[in-house]
Amino acid sequence: MTKKTTIYDIAKKLNITAATVSRALNNNPKISKSTKEIVLRTAAEMNYEQNKLAQALKNGKSFNVGVIISRIDSNFFASIIRGIEEELFNHGYHVIICQTNNNENMEAENINTLLNAQVDGILMSISNIDIDKNDAFKRILNKKIPLLFFDRKKSIPGISSITIDDFSAGYKATQHLIDEGCKRISHLTVDRNFEIFRDRFLGYQKALSDNNILFDESLVIETKSNIEAGKDAAKKLLKLKNPPDAIFSSSDFSALGAIQEIKAQGIRIPQDICVVGFSNEPFTKFMELSISSIDQSPIEMGKTTARVFIEQVKNKEKYIEQKVVLDPTLIVRKSSSRK
Amino acid sequence: MTKKTTIYDIAKKLNITAATVSRALNNNPKISKSTKEIVLRTAAEMNYEQNKLAQALKNGKSFNVGVIISRIDSNFFASIIRGIEEELFNHGYHVIICQTNNNENMEAENINTLLNAQVDGILMSISNIDIDKNDAFKRILNKKIPLLFFDRKKSIPGISSITIDDFSAGYKATQHLIDEGCKRISHLTVDRNFEIFRDRFLGYQKALSDNNILFDESLVIETKSNIEAGKDAAKKLLKLKNPPDAIFSSSDFSALGAIQEIKAQGIRIPQDICVVGFSNEPFTKFMELSISSIDQSPIEMGKTTARVFIEQVKNKEKYIEQKVVLDPTLIVRKSSSRK
DNA sequence: TTGTACGCGTTATCAT
DNA sequence: ATGATAACGCGTACAA
């Protein structure tokens, strides 16, 4: 193994000092054109390679950014990360990913290890509704490095977030179902302690009241975001004396489960029951009975998150909180088209 | 902002030297129990936080691992990364992800920036069939840090890889179609310069010949791995004088496109044409006409890749090349079940 | 068991 | 324009 060459080696070879070499390598103006040239040339000859670690230690800037999500193997989160990585790559940053599996302790641990690794910022979709009471969280604030929430945010003064308008999304989905003639609209929600799920629920409620439809608590079911939970929810709904004629689900996966159960019971979609999901996972489009859903433009969400981060590192002094709210798009497919 | 506390600060407070503090913090045996205790206690009191960057510079070990893939927003790659991250987390490593979009230059650039960032290893699915001729690639070898291929590998002596048995997968899929009574079996392949696609093709060929079915070049179509390409391929196939009665695709996405085109032309699946895809993407299971596919157990593949990496860093001297070959599983669904 | 002194590779602040 | 030196925060061989 050839020992790695440092700026010292190349300085020795040229009978100059390491400082000069460093200047040549960093486009420092205080250097003559000639020496700069020869330094760059011999650097190339000696296969010199920057040690970003040493730079990071010296400059207090690692050019690493931590991204924390619950899990990466869902199209929604994977797409966000795609957007983040693509955008940050252009600015020389690397993306470190961490998964919490929705576990609060994992989330705290991930924050701590990221901070110890001296990341320049943390972008996260929260797994803990009380994150602001968490010590690890406070460490981020203390360090004064940018912290950004995307998707699962918590509204905290001074902390920027990038989300879609979940209230509007819930409203749009519900209004659409009403427009299709549905009158008893169920809502499959997830933990409403998270703002995104509460907002979708509130949008749903508002659309109902705007259309003079009485809100019926028994039509709201809290589920996990998976197929089995969707089936269970549908079973409950179909047992009601007065079952729903539509389901708006905060998750594509529970929407799919509900659809499977409904069809298994011989009930027709969309004629008897219309269904709208959430997130526009690829399968919703591919199915023969394609599923209507809310598109959250995750790649754009990721890119935007990255851009806000870049802005914040550039204006470290005059940091301004940004609450970016992207527009959700209702995508109407067969599961809710009665025309 | 409270200035970050270093081992120096805590040494000063205790009237000892930084070296002793370091020893206390690193379970160094050369220290008394009593001083160790008090150091740890005051470290906690002063909110001391390890600077992994400084450690990394000193020890030549960053505890960061680079993972390079074409893109993260496919369930297959996302699941692999999930497996890698989960496994590596337990060993204190962070995962840096890089996407190439199948661009060779991006791949080389990613390698270079990862090396400059002093990662302890690189795990990658290659985007360049001539990667071994690449300078960036040679840099990895020179640095003597572990390099592992997963999925899209290239067989290079001394380099470990974790893949499924693609030949066997191609064979299994084809044999299954033959068992269902198909006689003219088409194959949608991707760039056969990549070993995985060539192996799947070879397995397909072998199954044909083992069953005394004549190989027909006109039934093999090279496509991209997306829906449109699948549609185009199906159009070509259906125009043949003697169209196929089965399609084995190296990609679930082109399989889906083919299915859409076939159905659009009023041809029945599986009665007229059976279809088998590859990768077991979630949508293949969810569709009403569920799609048979080959499962590559991506999470397991990721975990295995991580484990092999850990082994290699632990036995840096007696490094032994490992070629792990996981077993593919044929998952038979409606698109190829005629019973 | 503890302290001293130096090095990891780089950059920034002084001089010259 | 260039050189000398210190510093980033930590770990360790050597000496005490």
Side-chain angles (χ1 to χ4, degrees):
Chain A
M1 167 163 50
T2 46
K3 196 81 180 74
K4 71 187 85 173
T5 79
T6 73
I7 56 173
Y8 249 84
D9 303 326
I10 134 169
K12 200 170 296 175
K13 183 159 196 169
L14 261 42
N15 269 331
I16 56 178
T17 183
T20 311
V21 177
S22 174
R23 282 189 273 258
L25 260 26
N26 291 297
N27 289 327
N28 191 312
K30 298 166 172 286
I31 194 171
S32 76
K33 209 169 173 71
S34 57
T35 50
K36 180 169 180 174
E37 268 176 18
I38 189 155
V39 166
L40 290 180
R41 191 169 54 237
T42 48
E45 282 169 10
M46 299 178 74
N47 292 317
Y48 168 74
E49 301 151 7
Q50 275 191 324
N51 185 329
K52 292 273 179 193
L53 229 48
Q55 272 185 165
L57 179 61
K58 179 66 186 166
N59 299 336
K61 200 149 191 284
S62 67
F63 278 97
N64 283 149
V65 173
V67 176
I68 305 178
I69 53 177
S70 59
R71 47 184 290 183
I72 198 174
D73 56 341
S74 85
N75 182 268
F76 175 65
F77 282 126
S79 298
I80 287 182
I81 298 211
R82 175 181 181 82
I84 291 177
E85 196 274 334
E86 284 187 356
E87 191 74 21
L88 251 33
F89 175 84
N90 297 326
H91 296 270
Y93 284 89
H94 276 146
V95 174
I96 296 177
I97 60 152
C98 298
Q99 302 176 99
T100 68
N101 284 309
N102 280 321
N103 178 323
E104 305 175 3
N105 298 329
M106 282 290 283
E107 182 174 69
E109 197 170 342
N110 277 321
I111 292 175
N112 280 322
T113 61
L114 284 173
L115 291 179
N116 288 347
Q118 310 298 122
V119 293
D120 293 343
I122 291 184
L123 322 179
M124 67 187 297
S125 180
I126 67 172
S127 297
N128 178 1
I129 52 166
D130 286 326
I131 184 150
D132 48 330
K133 302 192 180 70
N134 189 288
D135 283 342
F137 173 80
K138 290 172 188 163
R139 269 188 74 192
I140 309 179
L141 269 36
N142 259 321
K143 273 220 171 186
K144 302 271 189 204
I145 62 170
L147 165 66
L148 275 71
F149 291 148
F150 57 83
D151 190 48
R152 289 200 186 184
K153 75 172 193 303
K154 176 154 189 176
S155 296
I156 299 177
I159 296 183
S160 298
S161 64
I162 293 85
T163 56
I164 59 158
D165 186 338
D166 285 286
F167 179 91
S168 163
Y171 193 100
K172 278 184 189 175
T174 309
Q175 183 66 52
H176 158 65
L177 290 167
I178 295 170
D179 292 344
E180 294 291 317
C182 302
K183 307 220 176 296
R184 273 184 68 71
I185 302 172
S186 160
H187 178 44
L188 305 190
T189 183
V190 188
D191 186 347
R192 270 170 292 176
N193 289 310
F194 287 102
E195 291 181 12
I196 57 168
F197 298 120
R198 182 166 58 241
D199 287 348
R200 292 172 196 177
F201 166 72
L202 292 175
Y204 155 80
Q205 268 194 323
K206 184 67 162 55
L208 291 183
S209 73
D210 280 0
N211 287 273
N212 297 315
I213 297 181
L214 214 62
F215 169 66
D216 181 349
E217 183 74 49
S218 71
L219 292 178
V220 176
I221 301 191
E222 186 158 320
T223 66
K224 299 276 182 189
S225 173
N226 64 52
I227 296 179
E228 276 315 307
K231 283 187 186 173
D232 292 344
K235 278 178 196 162
K236 275 188 207 163
L237 288 171
L238 296 175
K239 273 188 201 147
L240 292 177
K241 274 173 233 161
N242 201 350
D245 57 6
I247 296 177
F248 161 48
S249 171
S250 257
S251 151
D252 277 336
F253 294 97
S254 49
L256 174 58
I259 287 175
Q260 290 177 346
E261 179 64 29
I262 291 167
K263 285 169 61 174
Q265 296 199 18
I267 299 169
R268 297 168 307 166
I269 298 174
Q271 297 90 336
D272 302 323
I273 300 184
C274 285
V275 178
V276 175
F278 213 106
S279 286
N280 200 19
E281 288 281 330
F283 68 81
T284 59
K285 177 182 183 180
F286 297 155
M287 302 182 66
E288 289 85 344
L289 174 63
S290 54
I291 306 178
S292 302
S293 193
I294 297 284
D295 185 73
Q296 300 168 278
S297 52
I299 294 189
E300 190 52 35
M301 189 182 286
K303 283 184 187 283
T304 305
T305 305
R307 280 189 216 111
V308 173
F309 165 76
I310 294 294
E311 271 184 51
Q312 299 202 346
V313 290
K314 285 194 175 162
N315 311 326
K316 197 145 189 177
E317 325 77 36
K318 41 179 173 171
Y319 171 100
I320 296 176
E321 160 193 325
Q322 286 194 43
K323 308 278 189 190
V324 180
V325 179
L326 302 173
D327 227 31
T329 309
L330 171 68
I331 303 200
V332 178
R333 299 201 180 95
K334 290 185 188 168
S335 70
S336 69
S337 289
R338 284 177 165 173
K339 300 134 198 173
Chain B
M1 168 164 49
T2 46
K3 196 85 179 69
K4 71 186 89 174
T5 80
T6 73
I7 56 172
Y8 249 86
D9 303 325
I10 135 167
K12 199 171 297 174
K13 185 158 193 171
L14 260 43
N15 269 330
I16 56 178
T17 182
T20 311
V21 176
S22 173
R23 282 189 272 259
L25 259 26
N26 291 297
N27 289 328
N28 190 311
K30 297 164 174 288
I31 194 172
S32 76
K33 208 168 174 75
S34 57
T35 50
K36 179 169 180 176
E37 266 177 20
I38 191 157
V39 166
L40 291 181
R41 190 168 54 236
T42 48
E45 281 169 11
M46 299 177 73
N47 291 319
Y48 169 73
E49 300 151 8
Q50 275 191 324
N51 185 328
K52 292 272 180 196
L53 227 49
Q55 272 186 169
L57 180 59
K58 177 66 187 168
N59 300 334
K61 199 153 192 281
S62 67
F63 277 98
N64 284 148
V65 173
V67 176
I68 305 179
I69 52 177
S70 58
R71 49 184 290 185
I72 198 173
D73 57 340
S74 85
N75 182 267
F76 176 65
F77 282 125
S79 297
I80 287 181
I81 299 210
R82 175 181 181 82
I84 291 176
E85 196 273 333
E86 284 187 356
E87 191 74 21
L88 250 35
F89 176 83
N90 297 326
H91 296 269
Y93 284 89
H94 277 146
V95 173
I96 295 176
I97 61 153
C98 297
Q99 303 177 98
T100 67
N101 284 310
N102 280 321
N103 178 320
E104 305 174 4
N105 297 330
M106 281 291 282
E107 183 175 69
E109 197 171 342
N110 278 321
I111 292 175
N112 280 324
T113 60
L114 285 174
L115 291 179
N116 289 347
Q118 310 297 124
V119 292
D120 293 342
I122 291 184
L123 321 180
M124 67 186 298
S125 180
I126 68 173
S127 297
N128 178 2
I129 53 166
D130 287 325
I131 184 145
D132 47 330
K133 303 192 179 69
N134 190 287
D135 283 341
F137 173 80
K138 291 172 186 161
R139 269 188 75 192
I140 309 180
L141 270 36
N142 260 322
K143 274 219 170 186
K144 302 273 190 204
I145 62 170
L147 166 65
L148 275 72
F149 291 149
F150 57 83
D151 190 47
R152 289 201 186 182
K153 74 172 192 303
K154 178 155 189 176
S155 295
I156 299 176
I159 297 185
S160 298
S161 64
I162 293 86
T163 55
I164 59 159
D165 185 338
D166 284 287
F167 180 90
S168 163
Y171 193 99
K172 278 185 191 176
T174 309
Q175 182 65 52
H176 158 65
L177 290 168
I178 294 170
D179 292 344
E180 295 290 317
C182 302
K183 307 221 175 295
R184 274 185 68 72
I185 302 173
S186 159
H187 178 44
L188 306 190
T189 182
V190 187
D191 186 347
R192 270 170 292 177
N193 289 311
F194 287 101
E195 292 180 12
I196 57 168
F197 298 120
R198 181 165 59 242
D199 288 347
R200 293 172 196 177
F201 166 73
L202 292 174
Y204 155 80
Q205 268 195 323
K206 184 66 162 56
L208 291 183
S209 73
D210 280 0
N211 288 272
N212 299 313
I213 297 181
L214 214 61
F215 170 66
D216 181 349
E217 184 74 49
S218 70
L219 292 178
V220 176
I221 300 191
E222 186 158 320
T223 65
K224 298 276 181 190
S225 172
N226 63 51
I227 295 179
E228 276 314 307
K231 282 187 186 173
D232 292 344
K235 278 178 195 161
K236 276 188 207 160
L237 289 171
L238 295 175
K239 272 185 203 148
L240 291 177
K241 274 172 235 160
N242 200 352
D245 57 6
I247 296 177
F248 161 49
S249 171
S250 258
S251 150
D252 277 335
F253 294 97
S254 50
L256 174 60
I259 287 176
Q260 289 178 347
E261 179 63 28
I262 290 168
K263 285 169 62 172
Q265 297 200 17
I267 300 169
R268 297 168 307 165
I269 297 173
Q271 295 89 337
D272 302 323
I273 299 183
C274 285
V275 178
V276 174
F278 212 107
S279 285
N280 199 20
E281 286 280 331
F283 67 82
T284 60
K285 177 181 183 182
F286 297 155
M287 303 182 65
E288 288 85 345
L289 175 63
S290 54
I291 305 177
S292 301
S293 193
I294 297 282
D295 185 73
Q296 300 168 280
S297 53
I299 294 190
E300 192 51 37
M301 188 182 286
K303 283 182 187 284
T304 304
T305 305
R307 280 188 216 111
V308 173
F309 165 76
I310 293 294
E311 271 183 51
Q312 299 202 346
V313 290
K314 284 194 175 164
N315 312 326
K316 198 144 190 178
E317 325 77 38
K318 41 178 173 172
Y319 172 99
I320 296 175
E321 160 192 325
Q322 288 194 43
K323 308 276 189 191
V324 181
V325 179
L326 302 173
D327 226 32
T329 308
L330 171 67
I331 303 200
V332 178
R333 299 202 180 95
K334 291 184 187 167
S335 69
S336 70
S337 289
R338 284 177 165 173
K339 301 133 197 176

